[in-house]
Amino acid sequence: EKGIEKQVEIWGEGMRDFHQSGPQETRHINKWLSNMFGDYYTRKGLTTRQREMITLCFLMAQGGCEAQLKAHVIGNLNVGNDKQYLISIASQCVPYIGYPRVLNALTCINAGFAEWEASQLFLNYKECYDSFWFKFNYDYRLNSGANHRCGGA
């Protein structure tokens, strides 16, 4: 489904089965959300980066949905909108939505960025770790023979 693919594009593989997650009695909401991404995020005319920025603005203006705002901060960062850009967008909204909502949004931007940055450090560390162990294992097998075991023999 297009909506699921779009969610995976923005937030990663962890979203692939999101539509089937949560308590059974509310799972239909997650399915509707995936359908919404298929309907609105796959239309022509705007890029995913632009759509994420617009979604951030509407959530910021709506207020009371900080969890979703933080998730879309992370989505914005994943599609290439950086933290300073998000802060600039929030600042531009002050005369339209007021200081309290913008201050809440800035809190979400900082929290989302911290979470996103930590995940990037983990992914970079994991990539380096995996690369090191791949090379180490490859060199070890190449230089010591396929049947060599630790401890001799």
Side-chain angles (χ1 to χ4, degrees), residues 140 148-153:
Y140 180 77
H148 179 77
R149 297 197 170 141
C150 291

Side-chain angles (χ1 to χ4, degrees), residues 54-74:
I54 291 166
T55 300
L56 184 88
C57 289
F58 280 108
L59 291 171
M60 186 180 3
Q62 187 173 348
C65 46
E66 283 72 21
Q68 291 80 9
L69 182 58
K70 183 178 152 194
H72 281 278
V73 165
I74 294 168

Side-chain angles (χ1 to χ4, degrees), residues 39-55:
D39 277 349
Y40 295 105
Y41 267 66
T42 59
R43 292 181 181 183
K44 296 179 194 250
L46 296 173
T47 66
T48 301
R49 286 176 74 170
Q50 292 167 330
R51 289 178 202 281
E52 269 303 295
M53 183 268 298
I54 291 166
T55 300

Side-chain angles (χ1 to χ4, degrees), residues 8-20:
V8 168
E9 175 190 328
I10 296 169
W11 287 284
E13 281 298 321
M15 292 300 291
R16 187 160 305 280
D17 295 323
F18 178 75
H19 66 286
Q20 299 172 343

Side-chain angles (χ1 to χ4, degrees), residues 67-125:
Q68 291 80 9
L69 182 58
K70 183 178 152 194
H72 281 278
V73 165
I74 294 168
N76 267 277
L77 295 166
N78 284 339
V79 299
N81 293 328
D82 66 23
K83 180 182 178 185
Q84 186 55 55
Y85 180 68
L86 301 181
I87 291 170
S88 296
I89 289 166
S91 300
Q92 180 65 32
C93 292
V94 169
Y96 306 103
I97 66 174
Y99 283 99
R101 291 214 169 139
V102 170
L103 292 172
N104 288 345
L106 291 173
T107 298
C108 291
I109 290 169
N110 287 326
F113 180 76
E115 186 175 317
W116 178 83
E117 188 174 45
S119 74
Q120 298 306 300
L121 291 173
F122 173 77
L123 291 174
N124 289 339
Y125 172 78

